[in-house]
Amino acid sequence: MPSRTHKAAAPRRRIVMVLGMHRSGTSLCANMLQELGVDMAEAQGTSAANARGHWERPRINDLHDEVLALFGRAWNAPTHHLALPDQWWTDPRVAPISETIAAYVEKTMSADRLFGFKDPRTARLLPMWPNLLDRLGAEPVYVFCVRDPAQVARSITARDRLAGDQAAYRWLVYNAQAVAGVGRAHVCVVRYEDWFVAPAAMIARLAQAVGLPARADMVSVVDEGLRHDALGAAEPVPALAADMFRQIGATGDRFDLKLTEQAATVLGCEHAVLPFLRDAALLPLSVVEQNRAIKDLHALIERLRAEVHAGKQAVRFERDTA
């Protein structure tokens, strides 16, 4: 009987995915990955909020935001913190956006360089990515950035004028969604605080995760002057967030079962309280819309008054010149 030969499956490409809540050191981490040799961004993208650069791919950010906007959850919307619908990634409207992301990544990936990207929104949208990675014939390398939720809430409150408790809630939801999305897969956890305590060890951990050699001079990228923690100014956060931060920070190369179960519980509660949160979020929105309508109405009245006045002036001119 003739022997059967099996063609070995082609090795799957790797994509480095930097996860983490906004203001959790994701930009610093992406910068370090770029220094290691990972292709993390087309441009550095500096701003007042990130003097060393965001190291993001705006195209992926925009497409992620399109998905969130489908469900009224755009990152800059007051409703952003509300839960996404159950099985949202199966919504037919998501498919063309997912395909566009895959096409962009396929076009941008280099054959001789490890591809990566960083976008905090990814934490919320991880359920969309397994099918997307399958289409690309790729597997993820998860790099999970985490920072003290009290400091994150303080930073977001200062930057985005959010209430401190709302910012802390967003930290909890983002991190729970990221933990649930990663599950029991391999993950490299990067604590923001550790960059300023043991930068060489952090660089070595990143290098090992992505399989690239580290350089001793990379330590100079970590600028203590850019650390903005204010230990005395941060408001306390819920015990659940503090406990999740501790557990994430203690992770080896996989999240333990207790942490993944805790994340699932948080997300279950998120859906359970959604009707109440939706009402609370929409109430101020309705007031804003009413105020906008009143403002538009006043503008219309003023325009009509001006037109009436102009008409009277024209009639008076015609009468005087007759």
Side-chain angles (χ1 to χ4, degrees):
M1 185 175 180
S3 62
R4 306 172 91 181
T5 58
H6 298 278
K7 185 177 180 180
R12 292 170 69 86
R13 297 178 291 182
R14 296 182 302 151
I15 293 180
V16 179
M17 300 175 64
V18 176
L19 309 174
M21 173 61 179
H22 300 270
R23 314 306 291 167
S24 293
T26 55
S27 296
L28 173 57
C29 185
N31 188 353
M32 284 300 190
L33 287 165
Q34 185 82 15
E35 291 288 332
L36 284 170
V38 182
D39 178 14
M40 290 299 299
E42 289 84 7
Q44 183 176 352
T46 58
S47 73
N50 284 83
R52 285 292 183 91
H54 291 276
W55 300 101
E56 293 179 336
R57 297 188 183 274
R59 183 59 175 152
I60 290 180
N61 293 6
D62 291 344
L63 291 166
H64 276 170
D65 214 31
E66 283 186 30
V67 174
L68 291 169
L70 288 177
F71 308 103
R73 304 292 189 268
W75 76 270
N76 57 350
T79 51
H80 176 66
H81 65 285
L82 300 184
L84 288 162
D86 285 330
Q87 303 292 309
W88 60 265
W89 57 93
T90 65
D91 189 303
R93 297 174 297 169
V94 173
I97 302 176
S98 177
E99 290 167 4
T100 302
I101 295 175
Y104 163 79
V105 174
E106 184 67 49
K107 178 181 178 181
T108 310
M109 288 181 77
S110 168
D112 57 357
R113 193 174 176 193
L114 186 58
F115 178 90
F117 72 92
K118 161 247 169 177
D119 177 17
R121 300 163 185 79
T122 313
R124 300 206 66 188
L125 300 176
L126 271 178
M128 178 180 72
W129 274 89
N131 287 338
L132 202 158
L133 291 168
D134 282 342
R135 286 201 296 272
L136 291 165
E139 61 184 20
V141 177
Y142 292 122
V143 177
F144 194 118
C145 298
V146 67
R147 183 184 181 188
D148 181 348
Q151 294 301 325
V152 171
R154 179 198 55 77
S155 180
I156 289 178
T157 297
R159 187 190 71 173
D160 299 333
R161 302 296 184 262
L162 284 180
D165 52 355
Q166 186 184 67
Y169 178 75
R170 289 192 180 192
W171 183 98
L172 183 64
V173 169
Y174 261 78
N175 282 275
Q177 288 169 329
V179 168
V182 171
R184 298 282 288 157
H186 280 273
V187 62
C188 174
V189 173
V190 179
R191 280 174 37 109
Y192 174 81
E193 294 79 7
D194 290 346
W195 282 115
F196 307 98
V197 177
M202 298 295 289
I203 293 167
R205 181 185 301 176
L206 269 185
Q208 182 180 17
V210 299
L212 293 171
R215 302 191 322 271
D217 65 312
M218 287 176 56
V219 173
S220 63
V221 176
V222 182
D223 185 351
E224 179 72 33
L226 295 178
R227 184 180 183 181
H228 302 300
D229 283 356
L231 300 180
E235 297 292 329
V237 296
L240 183 59
D243 183 57
M244 183 173 286
F245 171 60
R246 180 188 60 77
Q247 289 190 69
I248 294 172
T251 296
D253 61 355
R254 295 180 191 269
F255 295 130
D256 64 28
L257 187 58
K258 178 184 176 184
L259 178 57
T260 57
E261 288 177 345
Q262 184 185 58
T265 299
V266 169
L267 299 182
C269 292
E270 183 193 22
H271 280 274
V273 302
L274 180 58
F276 305 102
L277 292 178
R278 185 189 295 115
D279 291 343
L282 293 181
L283 180 60
L285 284 180
S286 65
V287 173
V288 169
E289 289 301 323
Q290 291 172 28
N291 289 337
R292 184 179 294 117
I294 292 170
K295 183 178 179 181
D296 291 344
L297 182 59
H298 281 307
L300 176 61
I301 292 171
E302 290 302 317
R303 192 177 80 237
L304 291 174
R305 283 176 175 168
E307 291 175 358
V308 169
H309 179 72
K312 288 181 178 179
Q313 290 290 88
V315 170
R316 186 178 298 115
F317 176 78
E318 290 177 3
R319 184 183 60 212
D320 293 343
T321 57

